[in-house]
Amino acid sequence: MIIPILKPAGMTSHDVAAKLKRAFPIKPKIGHTGTLDPMVTGVLVILTENDTKLSDILPSDKAYKAVMKIGVSTDTQDITGEVMETSEKRPSFEEILTAANSFIGEYSQIPPMYSAVKKNGVPLYKLARKGETVEVEAKTVKIYSIENAEMLVEDEFAFDVSCSSGTYIRTLCADIGEKLGVPCCMKSLIRTKANGFSADQATELEKAIELASEMKIGEISIPYEEVFREMPKVIIPDNGLNYYMNGGRLALNRCETDNFDSETYTAFDKSGNFLGLAGIANGEFFGKWKIQ
């Protein structure tokens, strides 16, 4: 099942998955599609059983509502960290917005030391907690848009941001501050969209736990047809169906589709039954993920 959850503050993504798993009378295999820091709230997509394989197939882009604190930097780049620098300088709204907008597009971002990114197999946050500092390689991330910007008070800049997977918004806040020449950090963050799901499709954790305990979690799971509605369709022929479902590959001309240029397709049989997801390689359709 695919279950978007509204993660509360104070819990890790792992905590959410573990708490939900404990609620099931029969404990399923369970996972999530991306880490959220404990202070961050919002959309966290939970996957169960065979659907855990969808983690690398679902859309990866994210969207957030962020508040940036101006005049303070911390060792974690968010308000929970140890204060490293302060400043009384207050740039104008126009100056802050111009600096923020300069990051739209691809930019090279260095992940923070307090993060789950690994160095030689060890998460950076574990090294940071020991007081160790290591060189962290920058990675290319993409900011698609920064919208609805406003000053909440003179030292708090709020904005909505849409970005690629792996983007650290607290690092973006710190980078905006560096551009301005003023220490900045992230004060709060809400994830409003993840893996193609928005907050209005997600369920409060406690409600999901209640439904899981009653074996009614299916009431809030997202149907496959809705999840993959934007993908092109391929129809698998009856005379190749068993072969395909058992791992075989079928020549393109044996299957029906209007699009041969996609990486992933929704696969159906001739009767319209959803089979899973298909891909193309070496002129053949193959199963990337199948319903079990």
Side-chain angles (χ1 to χ4, degrees):
M1 287 182 284
I2 304 169
I3 310 164
I5 296 292
L6 290 172
K7 187 187 91 65
M11 300 179 70
T12 66
S13 299
H14 175 77
D15 291 339
V16 172
K19 193 169 183 179
L20 190 57
K21 181 173 184 173
R22 288 195 296 271
F24 284 90
I26 301 175
K27 312 306 178 197
K29 181 180 180 182
I30 197 167
H32 60 79
T33 62
T35 302
L36 277 179
D37 292 338
M39 71 170 285
V40 181
T41 63
V43 182
L44 176 68
V45 179
I46 297 293
L47 304 173
T48 67
E49 298 297 353
N50 183 52
D51 291 349
T52 56
K53 298 176 182 177
L54 292 171
S55 180
D56 295 328
I57 298 176
L58 290 170
S60 60
D61 296 340
K62 310 291 194 301
Y64 301 87
K65 284 186 174 295
V67 176
M68 183 176 78
K69 182 75 172 177
I70 301 163
V72 178
S73 66
T74 71
D75 59 350
T76 60
Q77 299 180 336
D78 63 40
I79 203 68
T80 68
E82 181 181 340
V83 174
M84 305 295 288
E85 184 182 358
T86 62
S87 172
E88 295 300 319
K89 182 180 177 182
R90 295 292 180 266
S92 68
F93 171 74
E94 290 74 19
E95 289 172 326
I96 300 169
L97 183 58
T98 297
N101 283 338
S102 72
F103 289 93
I104 293 175
E106 291 187 347
Y107 95 95
S108 184
Q109 187 182 74
I110 300 176
M113 277 299 298
Y114 283 90
S115 69
V117 173
K118 293 183 179 180
K119 180 76 172 182
N120 298 324
V122 181
L124 292 179
Y125 69 84
K126 289 188 176 181
L127 299 175
R129 286 172 181 169
K130 294 178 182 179
E132 298 181 27
T133 301
V134 296
E135 184 176 345
V136 182
E137 293 182 4
K139 63 178 182 177
T140 299
V141 299
K142 191 167 186 178
I143 306 298
Y144 299 115
S145 66
I146 290 177
E147 300 176 330
N148 301 321
E150 61 176 324
M151 298 300 298
L152 302 181
V153 291
E154 68 169 6
D155 62 350
E156 292 182 9
F157 175 74
F159 60 99
D160 295 347
V161 56
S162 177
C163 58
S164 61
S165 178
T167 302
Y168 283 89
I169 305 304
R170 50 195 164 107
T171 300
L172 174 62
C173 290
D175 289 345
I176 292 171
E178 185 174 346
K179 190 110 179 176
L180 290 164
V182 181
C184 293
C185 68
M186 186 183 77
K187 181 182 180 183
S188 66
L189 189 67
I190 300 171
R191 189 152 75 185
T192 56
K193 189 173 183 180
N195 307 108
F197 303 105
S198 57
D200 59 5
Q201 294 174 285
T203 301
E204 296 284 352
L205 177 59
E206 291 307 315
K207 177 63 176 179
I209 288 171
E210 177 186 337
L211 291 171
S213 67
E214 298 171 355
M215 294 298 286
K216 296 179 180 178
I217 198 73
E219 293 180 8
I220 59 171
S221 67
I222 307 297
Y224 299 125
E225 288 80 354
E226 181 178 345
V227 174
F228 305 118
R229 64 186 179 278
E230 301 298 328
M231 288 184 181
K233 179 188 298 186
V234 61
I235 298 175
I236 306 301
D238 290 340
N239 61 3
L241 184 57
N242 288 338
Y243 179 67
Y244 171 84
M245 293 301 289
N246 285 305
R249 298 182 173 221
L250 299 176
L252 301 186
N253 60 10
R254 293 187 61 191
C255 305
E256 298 176 31
T257 184
D258 295 327
N259 182 332
F260 289 99
D261 299 320
S262 180
E263 292 184 359
T264 307
Y265 299 76
T266 50
F268 295 83
D269 64 18
K270 284 281 191 176
S271 299
N273 297 307
F274 179 66
L275 305 175
L277 302 178
I280 290 180
N282 301 318
E284 297 174 312
F285 278 108
F286 68 96
K288 297 182 75 170
W289 169 81
K290 304 183 189 75
I291 287 182
Q292 290 185 343

